[in-house]
Amino acid sequence: MNQEFLTPKQQELIQKVRELSKTYILPNAAKWDRDQIYPWEIVQALQAEKLMGVWIPEKYGGLGLGVFELCLLVEELSRHCGGVGVAYAVNALGSFPILLGGTEEQKQEWLPPIARGEKLISFGLSEKISGSDAGSMITKAIKEGDEYVLYGEKKWNTNGGAATIYTIYATTDPNRGHRGVSAFLLEKGHPNFEIGYMEDKMGIRTVSVHELYLNGARVPADRLLGGKEGTGFANAMMTLDRARPGVAAQALGLAQGALDLTIEYLTKHSGEFPKSYTYEDGQFFPDEWESAPKSSEQAIQFRLAELATKIEAARHLVYTAAKLIDAGAKNISQISAMCKLFATDTAMEVTSECMSLWGIEGCLRDHPIEKYYRDAKITQIYEGTNQIQRLVIARNLLRSFSA
Ligand SMILES: Cc1cc2nc3c(=O)[nH]c(=O)nc-3n(C[C@H](O)[C@H](O)[C@H](O)COP(=O)(O)OP(=O)(O)OC[C@H]3O[C@@H](n4cnc5c(N)ncnc54)[C@H](O)[C@@H]3O)c2cc1C
């Protein structure tokens, strides 16, 4: 990618993360993936470089940059490992709710340790029975005096085992549907709050994804996000609008990483190609063969050109969405959904095609291309499946014409 339009500071950030990725991710990614080991080495290196809260304002201890820089970092990390990319990005997903809906006191209390990288945060919205239809959640928070008591189970909590802060959504008024949903801040070790079953996943295996059990966890009322009941669902939706470019950036990094590796392979490895043909009975028969780099075959070059063009198109969509968010644009749902849809579908297509270009070798366990392919799949599902992204885009399109 031509990065000349990035500021020197942005280029410096990418360069720094690239160096850290080569030192900490490249030698370990296959092992972390195979054995589901959390990537603490790279997380600690990012903490040491003060890169864990780039999107958090300076007054809360962050670098005061934006979703764009978040995306640049997630893309770079994901070029080397998609699991590490999401382990990092989920801190934005977990902290956006506080930035968007927290009281000033909550921001001052909860954001600085996240910005310094001392604490990781996760986002607890989904449940067994409520994924796409998040508003139908059944986890409940019952007010008792100055406290709320939480009962229920959260599912698919990314960073669940590694995080120490959890943004948890629960209904405070089941009769009001999604308008009865509220958000709470919980910490690991809180009585009757348990980090449960860890999923054995197909991809992004280095990052832990857990069930969370709330067995009557009693929290003081100042843990209610924004100090107001019923604002949780809107908070979650606004959060997802801002976080989806991060998933798209993860997909972008995966696609770019897979393509780079494939081009290197095709230029360094030779294949046998027909040099001349004989035409007989309406068919061409090769009669002389020659050895040449696989990349010299025009049919292969055309496939590479198409994949690279799609990646670049995805990149522009992701960067535009992120920049619009940072510019404070009013309606970001549509562009955010578009970049997530296009970049993640592109990642799936590119990683699948790259696997074909590697041939049978690319399908072997522990081969980096096979890992890129497995890591890419989830990007089409989490933070709203790509069917849900289509719904979001279509609703926005239709609304703009019926207004
Ligand atoms: C590895 C992993 C990590 C995750 N991390 C988190 C996390 O950190 N925090 C969190 O809260 N959640 C997390 N999730 C949950 C994730 O966001 C949900 O899995 C996702 O929203 C889809 O929900 P579901 O799996 O229940 O599928 P369902 O909602 O049951 O959907 C099943 C299928 O039906 C389709 N569908 C559903 N409704 C519609 C509709 N109205 N129109 C058209 N098609 C529809 C879907 O597109 C999908 O294809 C994670 C999931 C995974 C797998």
Side-chain angles (χ1 to χ4, degrees):
M1 180 197 66
N2 184 339
Q3 294 182 338
E4 284 169 55
F5 64 92
L6 297 177
T7 64
K9 172 80 185 161
Q10 289 161 346
Q11 294 189 30
E12 190 192 312
L13 279 175
I14 295 177
Q15 195 49 40
K16 175 57 69 189
V17 173
R18 189 165 298 161
E19 282 161 21
L20 295 178
S21 300
K22 283 184 182 153
T23 308
Y24 296 99
I25 302 181
L26 275 186
N28 293 314
K31 183 177 57 169
W32 291 344
D33 175 72
R34 193 178 47 244
D35 300 336
Q36 299 203 92
I37 298 169
Y38 194 77
W40 281 115
E41 282 96 325
I42 179 73
V43 170
Q44 281 159 0
L46 290 163
Q47 286 166 343
E49 294 290 340
K50 305 192 184 338
L51 291 174
M52 287 304 285
V54 294
W55 61 91
I56 295 179
E58 281 176 303
K59 71 170 176 166
Y60 304 121
L63 285 191
L65 302 171
V67 173
F68 183 50
E69 285 80 7
L70 163 71
C71 287
L72 294 177
L73 265 58
V74 173
E75 178 185 348
E76 188 57 39
L77 290 169
S78 303
R79 277 183 61 207
H80 301 92
C81 174
V84 173
V86 66
Y88 178 81
V90 93
N91 289 292
L93 177 68
S95 58
F96 285 154
I98 308 174
L99 279 165
L100 291 166
T103 61
E104 188 52 37
E105 292 74 28
Q106 286 170 334
K107 289 178 189 174
Q108 282 178 19
E109 179 183 350
W110 296 89
L111 291 173
I114 300 166
R116 288 194 296 268
E118 290 161 14
K119 293 186 177 179
L120 304 184
I121 182 164
S122 75
F123 177 79
L125 179 68
S126 303
E127 298 179 7
K128 268 182 193 145
I129 56 123
S130 78
S132 300
D133 183 13
S136 64
M137 70 178 63
I138 53 173
T139 293
K140 59 188 175 198
I142 301 165
K143 184 123 200 257
E144 283 184 14
D146 283 346
E147 294 178 323
Y148 286 90
V149 193
L150 279 78
Y151 297 93
E153 276 184 29
K154 290 288 163 185
K155 185 82 183 157
W156 309 117
N157 194 254
T158 304
N159 257 4
T164 48
I165 307 176
Y166 301 78
T167 307
I168 300 285
Y169 294 85
T171 178
T172 38
D173 187 350
N175 297 322
R176 296 195 68 214
H178 68 270
R179 288 194 177 80
V181 173
S182 304
F184 295 88
L185 295 164
L186 271 86
E187 281 182 287
K188 185 180 263 167
H190 195 95
N192 300 327
F193 172 48
E194 198 190 323
I195 318 302
Y197 176 73
M198 186 175 107
E199 306 291 343
D200 186 4
K201 307 180 299 307
M202 163 188 165
I204 59 162
R205 288 171 57 79
T206 185
V207 65
S208 59
V209 172
H210 285 259
E211 291 181 356
L212 305 178
Y213 309 136
L214 298 140
N215 303 316
R218 199 170 273 278
V219 297
D222 67 3
R223 302 290 180 92
L224 170 67
L225 196 69
K228 211 168 157 205
E229 291 183 12
T231 56
F233 189 77
N235 175 271
M237 295 304 112
M238 286 194 298
T239 292
L240 290 170
D241 280 346
R242 276 152 190 80
R244 280 174 183 150
V247 178
Q250 182 199 1
L252 195 52
L254 284 165
Q256 190 67 64
L259 185 66
D260 291 348
L261 200 67
T262 304
I263 294 174
E264 190 186 351
Y265 165 73
L266 294 170
T267 49
K268 288 191 179 155
H269 289 77
S270 295
E272 292 295 313
F273 298 104
K275 193 174 175 190
S276 60
Y277 296 89
T278 306
Y279 184 70
E280 225 177 274
D281 296 335
Q283 289 186 59
F284 288 98
F285 294 96
D287 51 18
E288 215 184 328
W289 293 78
E290 67 179 350
S291 180
K294 293 184 180 191
S295 58
S296 61
E297 175 69 12
Q298 194 184 53
I300 288 180
Q301 291 176 0
F302 279 14
R303 286 164 90 186
L304 295 178
E306 279 162 21
L307 298 179
T309 305
K310 284 192 181 170
I311 292 175
E312 203 54 37
R315 179 169 289 116
H316 285 269
L317 208 41
V318 176
Y319 288 6
T320 300
K323 284 180 175 178
L324 279 169
I325 293 169
D326 291 339
K330 275 203 189 94
N331 185 1
I332 50 164
S333 303
Q334 182 175 323
I335 188 80
S336 177
M338 281 176 167
C339 81
K340 201 258 180 191
L341 171 66
F342 190 75
T344 61
D345 280 356
T346 298
M348 213 53 238
E349 183 185 343
V350 171
T351 53
S352 169
E353 274 292 296
C354 286
M355 206 184 233
S356 304
L357 287 164
W358 273 84
I360 190 64
E361 209 179 318
C363 308
L364 298 176
R365 267 277 187 217
D366 272 5
H367 193 281
I369 287 294
E370 182 259 5
K371 179 177 177 305
Y372 278 119
Y373 178 79
R374 284 188 286 107
D375 285 352
K377 182 63 204 174
I378 185 59
T379 65
Q380 292 179 310
I381 299 172
Y382 55 22
E383 294 195 29
T385 66
N386 281 2
Q387 286 76 18
I388 296 302
Q389 306 311 318
R390 289 181 176 90
L391 277 183
V392 171
I393 296 164
R395 280 180 189 153
N396 273 277
L397 288 174
L398 298 174
R399 197 179 303 132
S400 63
F401 274 88
S402 57

